[in-house]
């Protein structure tokens, strides 16, 4: 049997993280410049249920039976087994490689879930449609992150810009003009689950304050949608920066991220904000001219450890 390969891209949240968990709209886009790749090959001489897993990025090389029950890879494989009512699995070797930095707000865990579900179900001869892949990846995300909105697994499964409201069917977005983004890594790893849990504690203490911030973020997402679908994209810059201010009020930024946002704005960015869970991870910066190195150079000088230049092209 030939080896089966599946990939899934990274993602960035253009506007609306955290408020998305409270059913306000968010806009997310795939980051095709980074990806998870899963390759599954048969081990014809192996015993059934003997599954070798190799993931060099997290120094993992083990038999599945050696992993904890709540290990993300075990959880994903168990979800697939249950969905397919498969009692036993053929012996196989699963190799997972990734260029998506983990714990950086770029959707690494959802991308592993999507690529592994896709590869495994194809390998077992039961390829699934995107709706089902997205549902299973959401279940995996829930086991890892507590109360995710579902935006990460959705944008990564469908690999297109989306307008997302928790609990509702997502809406694919058409893109009127090129959207040039710099995605700048602060170099500070951060757990989305922990930050989401902190925001929940704040919301429980002063719900009216948090609800007002979520409403304001939702309103920015609606305005940004219009910029993306009808232009001008330049006008989205101020919306991103306003979103950053609201994320500061939620307590999900920090001094390094704030400094990098300011450096981006001072060197000519149209807008900049934290993207994803925050308290570290990545910023997104909207730029007019991706060939001008000025903003990226300034961000690197100010402590960003890596910059991805990513463009969302008009959908025509
Ligand atoms: C994470 O990419 C986005 C958050 O809003 C969490 C979620 O929506 O599940 C922080």
């Amino acid at each position: 049997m030939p080896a089966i390969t599946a990939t899934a891209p990274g993602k960035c949240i253009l506007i609306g993280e955290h408020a998305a968990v409270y059913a306000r709209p968010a806009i997310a886009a795939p980051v095709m410049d980074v990806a998870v790749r899963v390759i599954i090959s048969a081990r014809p001489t192996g015993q059934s249920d003997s599954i070798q897993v190799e993931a060099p990025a997290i120094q993992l090389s083990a038999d599945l039976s050696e992993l904890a029950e709540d290990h993300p890879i075990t959880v994903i494989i168990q979800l697939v087994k249950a969905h397919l009512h498969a009692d036993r699995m053929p012996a196989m070797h699963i190799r997972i490689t990734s260029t998506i930095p983990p714990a950086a707000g770029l959707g690494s865990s959802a991308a592993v879930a999507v690529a592994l579900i896709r590869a495994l179900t194809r390998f077992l001869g039961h390829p699934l449609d995107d709706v089902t892949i997205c549902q299973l990846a959401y279940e995996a995300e829930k086991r890892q992150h507590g109360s995710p909105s579902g935006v990460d697994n959705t944008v990564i499964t469908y690999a297109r810009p989306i307008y997302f409201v928790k609990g509702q069917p997502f809406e694919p977005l058409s893109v009127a003009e090129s959207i040039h983004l710099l995605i700048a890594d602060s170099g500070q790893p951060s757990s989305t689950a922990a930050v989401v849990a902190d925001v929940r504690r704040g919301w429980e203490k002063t719900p009216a304050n948090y609800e007002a911030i979520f409403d304001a973020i939702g309103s920015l997402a609606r305005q940004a949608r219009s910029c993306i679908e009808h232009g001008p994209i330049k006008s989205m810059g101020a919306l991103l920066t306003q979103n950053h201010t609201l994320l500061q009020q939620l307590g999900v930024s920090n001094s390094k991220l704030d400094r990098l946002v300011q450096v981006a704005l001072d060197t000519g960015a149209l807008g900049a904000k934290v993207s994803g869970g925050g308290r570290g991870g990545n910023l997104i910066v909207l730029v007019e001219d991706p060939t001008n190195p000025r903003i990226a150079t300034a961000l690197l000088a100010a402590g960003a450890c890596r910059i991805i230049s990513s463009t969302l092209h008009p959908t025509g």
Side-chain angles (χ1 to χ4, degrees), residues 100-109 185-192 278-282:
I100 307 178
L106 294 183
S108 143
S109 65
D185 195 339
S186 68
Q188 301 170 316
S190 167
S191 152
T192 297
R279 298 242 181 99
N282 276 268

Side-chain angles (χ1 to χ4, degrees), residues 216 218-228 239 242:
S219 157
L220 293 177
R222 282 185 280 273
Q223 294 171 62
R225 176 184 189 161
S226 168
C227 299
I228 292 170
L239 303 175
Q242 285 169 44

Side-chain angles (χ1 to χ4, degrees), residues 13 15-17 19-20 24-28 151 162-165 173 221:
I13 309 277
I15 231 156
E17 53 274 271
R24 289 352 182 254
I27 295 176
V151 64
I162 60 167
Y163 183 82
F164 177 89
V165 181
L173 288 178

Side-chain angles (χ1 to χ4, degrees), residues 11 13 16-21 105 147-152 192 196 276-277:
K11 70 96 207 331
I13 309 277
E17 53 274 271
H18 289 290
V21 175
S147 57
S149 63
V151 64
D152 288 13
T192 297
V196 168

